[in-house]
Every structure is written in C-alpha cells, then in structure tokens.
Amino acid sequence: MQMDKFDRRILSILQADASITAADLGEQIGLSQSQVWRRIERLEQEGILLKRVALVDRKKAGLSVMLYAQVKLKANSHDSIPDFAKAIQKFPEVLDCHLILGPADFILRIVAKDMDAYEKFFSSRLTRLPMVQEVHSMVA
C-alpha cells in the first residue's frame, strides 16, 4: 500500500491519542471526517494500523518496577522458541517479548509491584519454565 503524507499524519496523531474523533483528526490535517474514516479503515484492512490501545501509567497502577530480562533457552531447537513464546504470553507481568540475536534468545520487558514481586515472579514462574537455561535481569 502506498502511504501519503495524510496517512502518515493520521498514524502519527493516532499514536499520540487513539481516542481522537475522526472530525477532530480531519480538522488537524485538512481532510473531511469521511475521508479520515476511509483512510483509517484502509490502514486497518492493510494491516498497517493493527489496533488502538489505551496506555496505562504503570506507577499509578501500582507497578513501580520495570525490568528487562535476557533469556537464554536450553536448546535452540525449532520447538523451544515457539514453546517459550507461547508460555510467556500467560504471564501478565511480561509486557513485551522479542526474539533477538546474540548471546540471549529473548528479551522481555517486565513490570512488577516491587522488587519482591519481581523476585517471586522470577523464581517461581519465569525460571521454572522447562526450556529456560538462564535469565539476566536489568532494572530500568
């Protein structure tokens, strides 16, 4: 799909505030409400605009600790990577999970109420996954 300046501007504005109305968005970029809606629908149909979400202030939600964890798997087989990715989706503490190149296999972005909560998650859930060999945590 070819994107023009209006499409890029729509995406930029929606990334800052997905709750904006099509009419307000149109006013900002110089298009009618119906033109904006058609463009948004096309961006969604083409898979460029995946979803519109609400961002949560993690500290106000009681999640004062954010960490990154590098995870190395025991075996780098074709099964262990998707198995880990599927298992990690069950943990609400994990906000992002990325397969990476280098000494680790995955990097996770994790939030927790406090360090005690993270230590409990680390020792009773994350490191208990059978495919995990080692985890290196970094506090952000």
Side-chain angles (χ1 to χ4, degrees), residues 79-98:
D79 294 335
S80 63
I81 290 173
D83 288 349
F84 177 79
K86 185 177 178 182
I88 209 70
Q89 290 178 5
K90 297 176 185 172
F91 301 148
E93 297 90 346
V94 178
L95 300 182
D96 297 311
C97 173
H98 300 279

mmCIF file of all heavy atoms in Angstrom, residues 79-98:
data_model
loop_
_atom_site.group_PDB
_atom_site.id
_atom_site.type_symbol
_atom_site.label_atom_id
_atom_site.label_comp_id
_atom_site.label_asym_id
_atom_site.label_seq_id
_atom_site.Cartn_x
_atom_site.Cartn_y
_atom_site.Cartn_z
ATOM 1 N N ASP A 79 11.433 -26.219 18.286
ATOM 2 C CA ASP A 79 10.310 -26.316 19.222
ATOM 3 C C ASP A 79 10.441 -25.377 20.413
ATOM 4 O O ASP A 79 9.449 -24.847 20.890
ATOM 5 C CB ASP A 79 10.160 -27.752 19.738
ATOM 6 C CG ASP A 79 9.755 -28.714 18.640
ATOM 7 O OD1 ASP A 79 9.142 -28.260 17.647
ATOM 8 O OD2 ASP A 79 10.067 -29.920 18.766
ATOM 9 N N SER A 80 11.660 -25.188 20.919
ATOM 10 C CA SER A 80 11.817 -24.425 22.158
ATOM 11 C C SER A 80 11.451 -22.951 21.989
ATOM 12 O O SER A 80 10.912 -22.342 22.907
ATOM 13 C CB SER A 80 13.227 -24.572 22.715
ATOM 14 O OG SER A 80 14.176 -24.034 21.820
ATOM 15 N N ILE A 81 11.732 -22.358 20.845
ATOM 16 C CA ILE A 81 11.449 -20.934 20.641
ATOM 17 C C ILE A 81 9.947 -20.674 20.648
ATOM 18 O O ILE A 81 9.471 -19.842 21.424
ATOM 19 C CB ILE A 81 12.149 -20.406 19.373
ATOM 20 C CG1 ILE A 81 13.655 -20.361 19.635
ATOM 21 C CG2 ILE A 81 11.618 -19.049 18.971
ATOM 22 C CD1 ILE A 81 14.492 -20.027 18.432
ATOM 23 N N PRO A 82 9.137 -21.365 19.821
ATOM 24 C CA PRO A 82 7.691 -21.105 19.889
ATOM 25 C C PRO A 82 7.070 -21.544 21.216
ATOM 26 O O PRO A 82 6.125 -20.919 21.698
ATOM 27 C CB PRO A 82 7.100 -21.883 18.713
ATOM 28 C CG PRO A 82 8.165 -22.776 18.224
ATOM 29 C CD PRO A 82 9.470 -22.256 18.722
ATOM 30 N N ASP A 83 7.612 -22.596 21.822
ATOM 31 C CA ASP A 83 7.084 -23.039 23.122
ATOM 32 C C ASP A 83 7.297 -21.961 24.181
ATOM 33 O O ASP A 83 6.410 -21.690 24.990
ATOM 34 C CB ASP A 83 7.757 -24.343 23.569
ATOM 35 C CG ASP A 83 7.312 -25.547 22.757
ATOM 36 O OD1 ASP A 83 6.325 -25.427 21.987
ATOM 37 O OD2 ASP A 83 7.965 -26.605 22.878
ATOM 38 N N PHE A 84 8.481 -21.347 24.193
ATOM 39 C CA PHE A 84 8.742 -20.283 25.149
ATOM 40 C C PHE A 84 7.841 -19.082 24.875
ATOM 41 O O PHE A 84 7.241 -18.526 25.795
ATOM 42 C CB PHE A 84 10.213 -19.851 25.116
ATOM 43 C CG PHE A 84 10.508 -18.709 26.037
ATOM 44 C CD1 PHE A 84 10.661 -18.922 27.396
ATOM 45 C CD2 PHE A 84 10.594 -17.415 25.553
ATOM 46 C CE1 PHE A 84 10.907 -17.862 28.262
ATOM 47 C CE2 PHE A 84 10.840 -16.352 26.400
ATOM 48 C CZ PHE A 84 10.999 -16.577 27.760
ATOM 49 N N ALA A 85 7.749 -18.676 23.614
ATOM 50 C CA ALA A 85 6.919 -17.520 23.255
ATOM 51 C C ALA A 85 5.463 -17.744 23.668
ATOM 52 O O ALA A 85 4.807 -16.831 24.162
ATOM 53 C CB ALA A 85 7.018 -17.244 21.756
ATOM 54 N N LYS A 86 4.972 -18.951 23.506
ATOM 55 C CA LYS A 86 3.590 -19.272 23.903
ATOM 56 C C LYS A 86 3.443 -19.267 25.424
ATOM 57 O O LYS A 86 2.484 -18.718 25.958
ATOM 58 C CB LYS A 86 3.183 -20.630 23.334
ATOM 59 C CG LYS A 86 1.753 -20.993 23.593
ATOM 60 C CD LYS A 86 1.388 -22.317 22.950
ATOM 61 C CE LYS A 86 -0.053 -22.668 23.268
ATOM 62 N NZ LYS A 86 -0.416 -23.968 22.699
ATOM 63 N N ALA A 87 4.403 -19.850 26.120
ATOM 64 C CA ALA A 87 4.336 -19.923 27.585
ATOM 65 C C ALA A 87 4.401 -18.541 28.218
ATOM 66 O O ALA A 87 3.692 -18.253 29.177
ATOM 67 C CB ALA A 87 5.466 -20.811 28.115
ATOM 68 N N ILE A 88 5.222 -17.661 27.674
ATOM 69 C CA ILE A 88 5.441 -16.347 28.271
ATOM 70 C C ILE A 88 4.206 -15.458 28.125
ATOM 71 O O ILE A 88 4.003 -14.524 28.902
ATOM 72 C CB ILE A 88 6.722 -15.700 27.682
ATOM 73 C CG1 ILE A 88 7.361 -14.768 28.698
ATOM 74 C CG2 ILE A 88 6.468 -14.981 26.405
ATOM 75 C CD1 ILE A 88 7.988 -15.453 29.858
ATOM 76 N N GLN A 89 3.361 -15.744 27.136
ATOM 77 C CA GLN A 89 2.133 -14.971 26.932
ATOM 78 C C GLN A 89 1.160 -15.113 28.096
ATOM 79 O O GLN A 89 0.287 -14.280 28.280
ATOM 80 C CB GLN A 89 1.441 -15.385 25.641
ATOM 81 C CG GLN A 89 2.184 -14.953 24.402
ATOM 82 C CD GLN A 89 1.509 -15.423 23.130
ATOM 83 O OE1 GLN A 89 0.434 -16.001 23.141
ATOM 84 N NE2 GLN A 89 2.166 -15.188 22.011
ATOM 85 N N LYS A 90 1.317 -16.145 28.893
ATOM 86 C CA LYS A 90 0.433 -16.373 30.040
ATOM 87 C C LYS A 90 0.803 -15.525 31.250
ATOM 88 O O LYS A 90 0.081 -15.488 32.234
ATOM 89 C CB LYS A 90 0.459 -17.850 30.422
ATOM 90 C CG LYS A 90 -0.074 -18.757 29.339
ATOM 91 C CD LYS A 90 0.053 -20.206 29.721
ATOM 92 C CE LYS A 90 -0.381 -21.087 28.564
ATOM 93 N NZ LYS A 90 -0.113 -22.499 28.818
ATOM 94 N N PHE A 91 1.938 -14.831 31.182
ATOM 95 C CA PHE A 91 2.407 -14.044 32.317
ATOM 96 C C PHE A 91 2.035 -12.579 32.125
ATOM 97 O O PHE A 91 2.624 -11.903 31.282
ATOM 98 C CB PHE A 91 3.924 -14.172 32.492
ATOM 99 C CG PHE A 91 4.418 -15.569 32.718
ATOM 100 C CD1 PHE A 91 5.660 -15.950 32.262
ATOM 101 C CD2 PHE A 91 3.649 -16.507 33.397
ATOM 102 C CE1 PHE A 91 6.142 -17.232 32.479
ATOM 103 C CE2 PHE A 91 4.115 -17.791 33.620
ATOM 104 C CZ PHE A 91 5.366 -18.164 33.161
ATOM 105 N N PRO A 92 1.103 -12.044 32.915
ATOM 106 C CA PRO A 92 0.710 -10.643 32.744
ATOM 107 C C PRO A 92 1.822 -9.657 33.078
ATOM 108 O O PRO A 92 1.771 -8.508 32.632
ATOM 109 C CB PRO A 92 -0.478 -10.486 33.697
ATOM 110 C CG PRO A 92 -0.341 -11.583 34.687
ATOM 111 C CD PRO A 92 0.352 -12.705 33.978
ATOM 112 N N GLU A 93 2.822 -10.090 33.797
ATOM 113 C CA GLU A 93 3.951 -9.217 34.132
ATOM 114 C C GLU A 93 4.784 -8.859 32.896
ATOM 115 O O GLU A 93 5.464 -7.851 32.868
ATOM 116 C CB GLU A 93 4.874 -9.904 35.155
ATOM 117 C CG GLU A 93 4.238 -10.195 36.483
ATOM 118 C CD GLU A 93 3.571 -11.572 36.546
ATOM 119 O OE1 GLU A 93 3.370 -12.207 35.487
ATOM 120 O OE2 GLU A 93 3.235 -12.006 37.655
ATOM 121 N N VAL A 94 4.740 -9.721 31.891
ATOM 122 C CA VAL A 94 5.553 -9.529 30.688
ATOM 123 C C VAL A 94 4.781 -8.665 29.697
ATOM 124 O O VAL A 94 3.757 -9.073 29.164
ATOM 125 C CB VAL A 94 5.938 -10.876 30.049
ATOM 126 C CG1 VAL A 94 6.735 -10.658 28.768
ATOM 127 C CG2 VAL A 94 6.727 -11.726 31.038
ATOM 128 N N LEU A 95 5.304 -7.457 29.455
ATOM 129 C CA LEU A 95 4.655 -6.538 28.526
ATOM 130 C C LEU A 95 5.097 -6.771 27.094
ATOM 131 O O LEU A 95 4.312 -6.635 26.164
ATOM 132 C CB LEU A 95 4.957 -5.089 28.920
ATOM 133 C CG LEU A 95 4.503 -4.648 30.297
ATOM 134 C CD1 LEU A 95 4.842 -3.177 30.504
ATOM 135 C CD2 LEU A 95 3.017 -4.894 30.495
ATOM 136 N N ASP A 96 6.376 -7.073 26.904
ATOM 137 C CA ASP A 96 6.929 -7.301 25.566
ATOM 138 C C ASP A 96 7.849 -8.503 25.607
ATOM 139 O O ASP A 96 8.554 -8.725 26.601
ATOM 140 C CB ASP A 96 7.771 -6.102 25.096
ATOM 141 C CG ASP A 96 6.963 -4.830 24.945
ATOM 142 O OD1 ASP A 96 5.900 -4.884 24.316
ATOM 143 O OD2 ASP A 96 7.419 -3.792 25.451
ATOM 144 N N CYS A 97 7.852 -9.232 24.503
ATOM 145 C CA CYS A 97 8.738 -10.386 24.354
ATOM 146 C C CYS A 97 9.273 -10.360 22.928
ATOM 147 O O CYS A 97 8.491 -10.406 21.971
ATOM 148 C CB CYS A 97 7.958 -11.666 24.614
ATOM 149 S SG CYS A 97 8.886 -13.186 24.283
ATOM 150 N N HIS A 98 10.603 -10.265 22.802
ATOM 151 C CA HIS A 98 11.221 -10.182 21.477
ATOM 152 C C HIS A 98 12.285 -11.254 21.324
ATOM 153 O O HIS A 98 13.151 -11.405 22.194
ATOM 154 C CB HIS A 98 11.877 -8.813 21.264
ATOM 155 C CG HIS A 98 10.914 -7.681 21.360
ATOM 156 N ND1 HIS A 98 10.100 -7.304 20.322
ATOM 157 C CD2 HIS A 98 10.621 -6.849 22.390
ATOM 158 C CE1 HIS A 98 9.358 -6.290 20.691
ATOM 159 N NE2 HIS A 98 9.648 -5.988 21.944
#
